[in-house]
Amino acid sequence: VQLQASGGGWVQAGSSLRLSCAASGLTFSTYGMGWFRQAPGKEREFVATISRAGGSISYGDSVQGRFTISRDNAKSTGYLQMNSLKPEDTAIYYCALDPAGWSVVSDDYQYYGQGTQVTVSS
């Protein structure tokens, strides 16, 4: 099983980035997908989650209204559209898959990708 996250980078505050998470080695559509982030010296933080078919979505309070999670099961790929980025969004972003559905709890996720760095300058 592989989760390949990409799309991170260095941007200025107010900019947008789109993260992708390509899954292989499993049936992507049978897993809920989530995004988490971790900044230096901080605990892992829930960002967003989406159910298997995309009908249920939840966001962390700090990204609500700015980030949009989506998925394309035909491509075995999930996405995180990040708009109006702020310096406090700087972190390593991880995509993850949950076989039980969708969850805001990081320990519920079975598979994690390697992470992609997002840096937002003021």
Side-chain angles (χ1 to χ4, degrees):
V1 175
Q2 278 196 323
L3 295 180
Q4 183 69 42
S6 61
W10 181 91
V11 296
Q12 291 189 324
S15 300
S16 298
L17 281 175
R18 188 193 196 201
L19 306 184
S20 297
C21 177
S24 60
L26 48 71
T27 305
F28 181 70
S29 61
T30 64
Y31 291 79
M33 189 191 75
W35 287 93
F36 294 81
R37 67 186 183 186
Q38 190 163 18
K42 295 187 177 181
E43 294 186 353
R44 184 170 294 180
E45 177 187 10
F46 165 72
V47 175
T49 184
I50 186 169
S51 59
R52 297 180 183 95
S56 297
I57 288 173
S58 181
Y59 295 98
D61 290 343
S62 60
V63 307
Q64 179 78 47
R66 300 186 297 123
F67 291 10
T68 302
I69 189 171
S70 62
R71 64 189 297 161
D72 184 338
N73 286 342
K75 296 181 178 179
S76 295
T77 301
Y79 305 97
L80 185 68
Q81 177 67 43
M82 306 186 296
N83 298 330
S84 302
L85 283 162
K86 305 175 180 179
E88 50 264 44
D89 294 319
T90 295
I92 299 174
Y93 284 70
Y94 299 90
C95 60
L97 297 182
D98 176 9
W102 60 299
S103 172
V104 304
V105 179
S106 61
D107 287 346
D108 288 342
Y109 287 78
Q110 182 175 7
Y111 300 108
Y112 275 85
Q114 86 288 357
T116 184
Q117 176 72 47
V118 172
T119 303
V120 185
S121 64
S122 58

